[in-house]
Amino acid sequence: MTNHYYRDFLIRNWQERDRIPAAEVIRSVLSEYGLGWEPNGADKDVLQVEEYYLATGGEFWVIEYQNQLVGTGAYYPIKRSEKAVEIRKMYLLSSVRGFGLGKYLLQQLEAAIASRGFLSIWIETASVLAEAVKLYESNGYMPATGVETTRCDRVYVKSLMTNFY
């Protein structure tokens, strides 16, 4: 990914120096919604971005505002279906929500995923993350089954094949 700007927000590739700030953004948003930070479980990938994302053909992006990390978004290939990815770690601090950044980030992730030839996108989330649920449902993600992450109770899928007709 080359750097993207959305208003005053810089969306760029993760770098090693982002490890702790990115983890802190995610931990903060989870705690805001009463969800636990799981460094040895569901959040292990944030601390091991090289292994989970970069080495598998995925990407991990961070969002900066005035040189501070304010959000994250990532995806990596999965085996749920042929040429599938899972969007993960899409978190924005409360101070930067409501500006359309989440929708823009989702669209940029989808464009990157489609450009790499993937055919479907999976997302797991929790019902308490109401804004996220609304974002996914209003952008063509369909409810599915097979939640794999303990703190999540919803899974969605979106087919990219319709974009090629």
Side-chain angles (χ1 to χ4, degrees):
M1 170 198 191
T2 55
N3 291 352
H4 282 264
Y5 281 92
Y6 176 79
R7 299 189 180 190
D8 294 330
F9 300 100
L10 167 64
I11 303 172
R12 63 169 176 79
N13 283 320
W14 180 92
Q15 296 170 8
E16 199 171 338
R17 65 182 158 88
D18 299 321
R19 191 178 323 275
I20 299 308
E24 188 54 35
V25 164
I26 293 164
R27 190 204 57 74
S28 172
V29 174
L30 288 168
S31 70
E32 175 190 346
Y33 288 92
L35 297 171
W37 163 250
E38 301 174 17
N40 298 312
D43 300 308
K44 188 190 239 179
D45 56 331
V46 180
L47 302 171
Q48 299 176 26
V49 168
E50 297 92 339
E51 181 183 335
Y52 281 85
Y53 296 92
L54 310 185
T56 63
E59 292 188 271
F60 196 107
W61 300 347
V62 295
I63 299 100
E64 275 186 17
Y65 178 72
Q66 297 178 342
N67 296 316
Q68 295 292 310
L69 240 61
V70 296
T72 59
Y75 68 88
Y76 56 52
I78 57 168
K79 304 262 191 273
R80 281 192 201 245
S81 57
E82 187 185 353
K83 292 192 174 182
V85 299
E86 181 177 348
I87 286 181
R88 294 183 52 82
K89 302 304 184 237
M90 205 169 133
Y91 291 99
L92 297 174
L93 293 178
S94 59
S95 58
V96 299
R97 290 186 215 135
F99 301 108
L101 179 59
K103 183 174 183 176
Y104 180 81
L105 178 61
L106 183 61
Q107 290 169 340
Q108 294 302 308
L109 285 165
E110 289 176 353
I113 289 164
S115 75
R116 290 178 167 210
F118 292 103
L119 300 178
S120 64
I121 302 173
W122 294 77
I123 296 178
E124 290 193 6
T125 192
S127 295
V128 297
L129 300 170
E131 299 95 332
V133 168
K134 185 177 172 193
L135 176 68
Y136 304 141
E137 290 182 349
S138 64
N139 282 279
Y141 287 82
M142 306 303 295
T145 57
V147 173
E148 296 174 350
T149 307
T150 313
R151 70 173 172 235
C152 295
D153 61 357
R154 291 175 180 248
V155 60
Y156 291 93
V157 65
K158 181 175 186 175
S159 172
L160 296 176
M161 291 191 275
T162 52
N163 297 344
F164 300 111
Y165 293 124

